[in-house]
Amino acid sequence: MQNRLTHVDNTFINFRNYEYQDSRSPAFRWVDVKRLRLPAESLGDTQLLAELIGHEQFRDDYAGGGVLPEGIRHGPYWVRAVTPDAYQPLDHRESDRILRTWANQFEDVPVDLATDLQREVFDRLASAEPIYYLSELGDEAIHDWGGVHSEFHEFVLIDRARGLITLLVAADD
């Protein structure tokens, strides 16, 4: 079956590329933003989540392997374990809180990083309706080396006004 989402582009923000006040601050954190164009026909949220899960851009282990069209891993999870039901709706306020707490957990991020995060992450959160958050899937869903991320936050942002669905992953490794 042909996937109805079209990959538009990616943005990768690596915290190591920014200078922190405290050189001891863990900088093995990053945000990966994948944008896909919504299909012309109107689909419900569950259908859009299923299309996203079925898209090759979803097959990314986020551990250096990149997107593998036939990949069997998604972040710390087996792809087969991720279903539309695994995503819970989340409001803007809670989404923003989760990401800001994660980003600033050791110290406030540098100004230039904060600017990039605002543009690529927080502005997208603000314009999305709805926002979905990937729930913890349990130990049986974690793939053979899925414990490499100390934190893994995944959001799906649906912006019908702009015709985009965004897969936003923020993690530590």
Side-chain angles (χ1 to χ4, degrees):
M1 178 181 190
Q2 178 73 20
N3 193 286
R4 294 178 275 191
L5 301 177
T6 306
H7 180 243
V8 176
D9 62 9
N10 297 11
T11 300
F12 187 78
I13 300 173
N14 189 335
F15 284 36
R16 284 185 289 184
N17 295 340
Y18 299 86
E19 193 169 321
Y20 279 82
Q21 295 265 345
D22 182 352
S23 62
R24 296 171 300 154
S25 291
F28 294 104
R29 290 180 286 154
W30 46 263
V31 177
D32 187 89
V33 182
K34 293 178 170 63
R35 287 172 291 281
L36 298 99
R37 177 94 28 227
L38 296 176
E41 70 268 23
S42 179
L43 299 177
D45 293 357
T46 301
Q47 291 171 298
L48 286 174
L49 289 168
E51 290 285 326
L52 179 63
I53 294 165
H55 199 280
E56 72 178 26
Q57 289 294 314
F58 194 79
R59 284 150 173 63
D60 191 333
D61 59 28
Y62 297 104
V67 172
L68 300 172
E70 302 301 320
I72 57 174
R73 294 174 183 86
H74 173 74
Y77 303 114
W78 296 110
V79 168
R80 69 176 181 267
V82 185
T83 66
D85 292 337
Y87 291 90
Q88 302 305 312
L90 209 58
D91 64 29
H92 293 99
R93 182 183 208 156
E94 183 62 9
S95 301
D96 191 90
R97 185 198 65 74
I98 290 168
L99 283 167
R100 287 188 193 280
T101 300
W102 169 81
N104 294 299
Q105 64 187 302
F106 301 107
E107 68 176 276
D108 288 345
V109 297
V111 172
D112 52 346
L113 175 55
T115 299
D116 290 347
L117 289 172
Q118 184 64 47
R119 181 186 63 250
E120 296 297 335
V121 175
F122 297 109
D123 288 351
R124 293 181 197 289
L125 277 175
S127 66
E129 189 65 47
I131 299 169
Y132 288 95
Y133 185 69
L134 182 61
S135 303
E136 293 288 327
L137 299 180
D139 291 343
E140 68 282 350
I142 297 175
H143 64 71
D144 48 349
W145 48 269
V148 298
H149 303 293
S150 55
E151 286 196 47
F152 186 85
H153 300 285
E154 179 174 318
F155 299 82
V156 175
L157 317 175
I158 299 174
D159 187 343
R160 286 186 171 83
R162 290 191 174 98
L164 295 172
I165 187 168
T166 301
L167 177 61
L168 191 154
V169 173
D172 305 30
D173 54 29

